[in-house]
Amino acid sequence: MRLPPATAGLLWALGIGFLLQNFLPEPLLMYFALWPLGEYSAGFAADGSPITVGFLPWQIISYGFLHGGFGHVFFNGLALYMFGSSLEQTWGTRRYLAYFFICVAGAGLIQLVVVTSGITGQGVYPTIGASGGVFGLLLAYGMLFPNRQVMLLIPPIPMKARTFVIVFGAIELGMGVFASNSGIAHFAHLGGMLFGWLVIRYWRGQPPFRPRGPRLVR
């Protein structure tokens, strides 16, 4: 099956970003990962001048194209392939891209608040990965195609897409509350789902938004 253009482009972007990390790991992490608000010491340069890191506006999007390892980028890419194609074919390329980037940015905003507040107890650390956008796609897939069968990888259990979304949302909520020091950005995942839900409700003219013109079928 030929991938629609935006899904293919996003997969290429994830792959290229991961490859660049192998050649320029420190600059990419310093300037393009999502750092908490403020300035923090990252050591000293060769000339003895201090190096600082901190939040920069573009990081709210750029962090989504960096990953922590092959498994991280592989499973995000796999989910993008599995769920993104159907959504792009349904919505069209422009709306699909708008949705994905809103979910990435929304997830980043939630994570920015969580990490800056220090409630995870992990101190200062950067966030990377497209998982917030991917979880937004997962939510959209469950809302648009609730009765389609999807297969868990581990364990290999088939279930309806709606059930899949509910199960994963509940797991992420539990992990965010009870395992906030796990090193996984569970609240960012939930943020991606929350912003995705709000965007779809807005497009449909459903509460908490007022109807705006003809409603979308999906």
Side-chain angles (χ1 to χ4, degrees), residues 165-177 186 190:
V165 170
I166 293 172
V167 168
F168 264 74
I171 290 173
E172 287 300 311
L173 179 59
M175 294 293 286
V177 173
H186 297 290
L190 290 170

Side-chain angles (χ1 to χ4, degrees), residues 4 14 26 42 54 57 60 70 85 97-98 100 104 142 145-146 148 172 200:
L14 295 188
E26 291 187 4
I60 208 72
F70 178 76
S85 297
L97 282 175
F100 179 80
V104 169
F145 315 110
R148 284 193 185 178
E172 287 300 311
I200 292 174

Side-chain angles (χ1 to χ4, degrees), residues 1-215:
M1 181 183 70
R2 184 175 181 180
L3 288 175
T7 301
L10 289 173
L11 287 171
W12 274 106
L14 295 188
I16 291 170
F18 181 68
L19 288 175
L20 287 175
Q21 284 180 259
N22 291 288
F23 296 99
L24 300 167
E26 291 187 4
L28 288 176
L29 192 64
M30 288 174 57
Y31 297 109
F32 296 98
L34 180 64
W35 290 90
L37 296 173
E39 290 189 352
Y40 307 92
S41 174
F44 296 90
D47 60 2
S49 59
I51 300 173
T52 59
V53 294
F55 175 72
L56 297 168
W58 59 80
Q59 293 173 0
I60 208 72
I61 294 294
S62 64
Y63 83 98
F65 295 92
L66 305 177
H67 287 83
F70 178 76
H72 193 196
V73 70
F74 173 79
F75 283 106
N76 275 342
L78 178 63
L80 185 61
Y81 169 80
M82 290 175 59
F83 303 115
S85 297
S86 294
L87 293 171
E88 184 177 355
Q89 290 167 353
T90 301
W91 281 336
T93 296
R94 293 178 65 181
R95 177 158 285 190
Y96 169 74
L97 282 175
Y99 178 87
F100 179 80
F101 282 111
I102 289 171
C103 289
V104 169
L109 287 172
I110 297 295
Q111 185 68 4
L112 190 64
V113 171
V114 169
V115 177
T116 302
S117 70
I119 63 173
T120 62
Q122 293 179 273
V124 176
Y125 64 91
T127 299
I128 54 177
S131 300
V134 166
F135 269 79
L137 296 181
L138 171 62
L139 176 92
Y141 193 89
M143 292 180 68
L144 271 63
F145 315 110
N147 295 315
R148 284 193 185 178
Q149 291 287 323
V150 296
M151 179 72 75
L152 285 176
L153 294 179
I154 304 174
I157 301 174
M159 62 179 66
K160 290 184 177 181
R162 177 171 49 199
T163 305
F164 188 78
V165 170
I166 293 172
V167 168
F168 264 74
I171 290 173
E172 287 300 311
L173 179 59
M175 294 293 286
V177 173
F178 297 110
S180 60
N181 62 347
S182 65
I184 301 174
H186 297 290
F187 283 109
H189 300 172
L190 290 170
M193 298 180 84
L194 171 63
F195 274 78
W197 180 79
L198 289 172
V199 168
I200 292 174
R201 300 285 290 186
Y202 174 75
W203 285 344
R204 290 177 172 178
Q206 295 173 330
F209 305 102
R210 295 180 180 179
R212 295 183 60 181
R215 295 190 180 186

